[in-house]
Amino acid sequence: KNKGASFLAGIVFAFSSFHVYQSTAIHVGMRHQELFPFLALFLFRFFEKFEFKFFALIGLFALLIAITEHQMLAFAALFIAFFVIYKIISDWTLIFNKKLWAFFLTSMIFLAIVAVSIFGSLLKVALSPNNFLDPGIKSAINLSIIPSDVLLPPVFHGLWPNVNEYMQESIFHTSSKGDSYYVGIAVIGVVLFFLFSLLIEKLKSKKSDEKDWMKNALVKFWLAEVLVFFVLAMGLATVEIGKWTVYLPYYLIYRYIPFYANIRVVGRLVVFVVMGLSVLFAFAAEYLMKKYPGRRKII
């Protein structure tokens, strides 16, 4: 409910380096990232009262995503699954809500109809012995992100076009992929300052405040969303702990959820990291406007 902060969040999301790169590289599906925030918006609205109009709007934007690109629909499905699981963990009584189950069954039927009618030919290939859609596990590993990717300026940066390749090779000892998963140092900095300020205020405050930012369910959700999808975007990377090899969570998705083995560019899940950071940036902007009212004109 802050137009200025919302506008800033929209600027961050719409003009992120990741979005610009996907558009200039003519990745048509990922060019239309504007569909994801609307999907998220109506998910929130639907879970407030389980009204049919918001369920229909979720279906509409899911259909638009499906028409745009099948991988985008697969990513959206992961976001919806995360959202629902988070909501149920936050409120276990949702499991016993008959409306929620009715809408869930309806959405499964809707998804099946969309899958058969729009992706029928792709499904036949994916289920056939000669599945040329599956790029193999090496592709899913190579086209995922490493943590440094979100911190390095894009390869098409106007002032430092070579800094990405230089830092990857000399500091992080990796090879440049030639694309961009940069989410913005300034955005990360503002969000971290916001969260740090909240933590300090929480530690100093002895009284319970109804408007306590740390109790804000939206801040908690989007922070969890950023962290979860950042880990998912790292794909099938493994962590060596002594004699044990620990697989990151996307390994379970790749191995056990049908059709996800056909997704080549796992790193594109970064779109949800950018979206989450954009929303947190809006909260940070509103917080800073209230905390430093004399600087409001600058913002």
Side-chain angles (χ1 to χ4, degrees), residues 198 201-202 205-216 287:
L198 296 186
E201 289 182 5
K202 179 67 176 179
S205 176
K206 296 181 180 180
K207 297 181 179 180
S208 177
D209 186 357
E210 293 181 359
K211 296 182 179 180
D212 187 351
W213 282 90
M214 290 301 285
K215 295 179 181 177
N216 191 309
Y287 172 83

Side-chain angles (χ1 to χ4, degrees), residues 136-153:
I137 195 168
K138 287 186 178 180
S139 178
I141 294 173
N142 294 334
L143 298 178
S144 59
I145 71 166
I146 57 175
S148 59
D149 284 338
V150 299
L151 301 174
L152 299 179

Side-chain angles (χ1 to χ4, degrees), residues 49-190:
K49 296 182 179 178
F50 297 108
E51 295 182 20
F52 177 77
K53 63 180 179 180
F54 294 122
F55 178 76
L57 286 168
I58 293 171
L60 172 63
F61 280 94
L63 180 62
L64 291 174
I65 290 170
I67 293 171
T68 304
E69 191 191 53
H70 59 284
Q71 289 191 13
M72 282 183 69
L73 181 63
F75 292 157
L78 290 180
F79 176 79
I80 293 172
F82 168 77
F83 181 91
V84 174
I85 291 171
Y86 185 93
K87 283 290 186 180
I88 291 175
I89 292 174
S90 302
D91 182 7
W92 284 98
T93 61
L94 287 173
I95 296 176
F96 307 103
N97 191 303
K98 294 181 180 179
K99 279 188 176 181
L100 179 60
W101 283 107
F103 282 119
F104 174 75
L105 292 174
T106 304
S107 62
M108 289 297 99
I109 295 171
F110 173 76
L111 180 61
I113 293 173
V114 169
V116 172
S117 59
I118 299 179
F119 305 123
S121 59
L122 292 176
L123 289 174
K124 288 181 181 178
V125 174
L127 296 171
S128 69
N130 300 317
N131 180 16
F132 60 82
L133 297 174
D134 186 351
I137 195 168
K138 287 186 178 180
S139 178
I141 294 173
N142 294 334
L143 298 178
S144 59
I145 71 166
I146 57 175
S148 59
D149 284 338
V150 299
L151 301 174
L152 299 179
V155 293
F156 51 83
H157 199 288
L159 297 178
W160 304 289
N162 299 319
V163 71
N164 187 300
E165 183 178 359
Y166 171 77
M167 292 187 69
Q168 288 207 34
E169 292 180 354
S170 61
I171 298 178
F172 298 106
H173 304 291
T174 61
S175 58
S176 176
K177 301 182 182 71
D179 49 17
S180 175
Y181 297 109
Y182 181 64
V183 298
I185 294 294
V187 173
I188 294 175
V190 170

Side-chain angles (χ1 to χ4, degrees), residues 11 21 25 27 74 83 106 108 111 146 165 191 193 195 263 281:
I11 292 294
Y21 170 75
H27 296 152
F83 181 91
T106 304
M108 289 297 99
L111 180 61
I146 57 175
E165 183 178 359
V191 170
F193 176 77
L195 296 174
I263 295 179
F281 188 83

